[in-house]
Amino acid sequence: MNYKTCPEFNQFLRYLLIKSAPVLLSNKPGVLLRLTNCGMVAGGRKYDLFCRHRRKIPGLLGLECAVLRNNGRESLCLFFDRRKVVDRLEQHETGNFFRALGYCPSTAGTIFRELLRRCRMQDSFPHEIGILLGYPLKDVAGFMRDASSCSVVPCGLWRICGDVAESRAEMDKFRMAEELM
């Protein structure tokens, strides 16, 4: 099948572009997507289409892709901009945060590889993945410290700890990118 003339694949690619728009159009480092064979996009065959065109998709999106989980029915994929990931992980406060969690942050690459390893090896996802998804450090750290002290905002993308305005501004920026795309 030629992916350039496949309507299902083109619909799936549009879906990926919209969902990864906050990475492509803003300073969000990455987006986590669950690709399954159910739902309304691409005839519900997102997993099949991803598996079939996996090597082409990162180049078409202009992003890298790390498959964090794959059980034969669905994939959990991190689509990311390596430069933005490195920039985020090289921030002093972020390095201290990861150090406190037992990471040996000699470089941003070391932290990134260890975080991906932990995502792949643990039954539940390490909450620090929020850093790569563009969540403010205060919200990720606050949630990990005491989730009950965080605010759940209507239509929020994550729980907010501390200043709501700052976090809402980030959420709005991510939503605006999807709308623009």
Side-chain angles (χ1 to χ4, degrees), residues 94-106 110-111 113-115 117-118 122 126 128 144:
T94 305
N96 289 339
F97 170 73
F98 278 98
R99 196 173 298 108
L101 295 174
Y103 288 76
C104 291
S106 57
T110 304
I111 296 170
R113 284 188 298 278
E114 175 62 14
L115 180 54
R117 188 191 71 74
R118 290 184 186 194
Q122 297 178 4
E128 58 268 26
M144 292 175 72

Side-chain angles (χ1 to χ4, degrees), residues 65-124:
C65 176
V67 177
L68 303 180
R69 307 242 169 104
N70 184 342
N71 65 10
R73 295 181 316 277
E74 67 181 18
S75 284
L76 190 58
C77 301
L78 176 69
F79 291 92
F80 63 97
D81 179 321
R82 185 169 299 273
R83 182 185 48 79
K84 292 174 186 167
V85 166
V86 168
D87 289 348
R88 186 78 191 266
L89 293 176
E90 285 181 341
Q91 293 172 356
H92 179 71
E93 293 167 343
T94 305
N96 289 339
F97 170 73
F98 278 98
R99 196 173 298 108
L101 295 174
Y103 288 76
C104 291
S106 57
T107 66
T110 304
I111 296 170
F112 182 65
R113 284 188 298 278
E114 175 62 14
L115 180 54
L116 294 182
R117 188 191 71 74
R118 290 184 186 194
C119 287
R120 290 176 176 133
M121 302 306 289
Q122 297 178 4
D123 288 335
S124 62

Side-chain angles (χ1 to χ4, degrees), residues 6-52:
C6 174
E8 270 188 328
F9 179 73
N10 288 330
Q11 183 182 5
F12 176 56
L13 190 57
R14 280 192 298 274
Y15 166 81
L16 292 175
L17 283 167
I18 290 168
K19 291 300 182 184
S20 61
V23 181
L24 295 167
L25 300 177
S26 71
N27 56 10
K28 183 175 181 174
V31 63
L32 195 58
L33 298 177
R34 183 178 307 279
L35 303 174
T36 67
N37 277 342
C38 63
M40 301 306 292
V41 176
R45 296 182 43 235
K46 291 180 271 186
Y47 175 77
D48 290 343
L49 289 165
F50 176 73
C51 291
R52 185 175 299 139

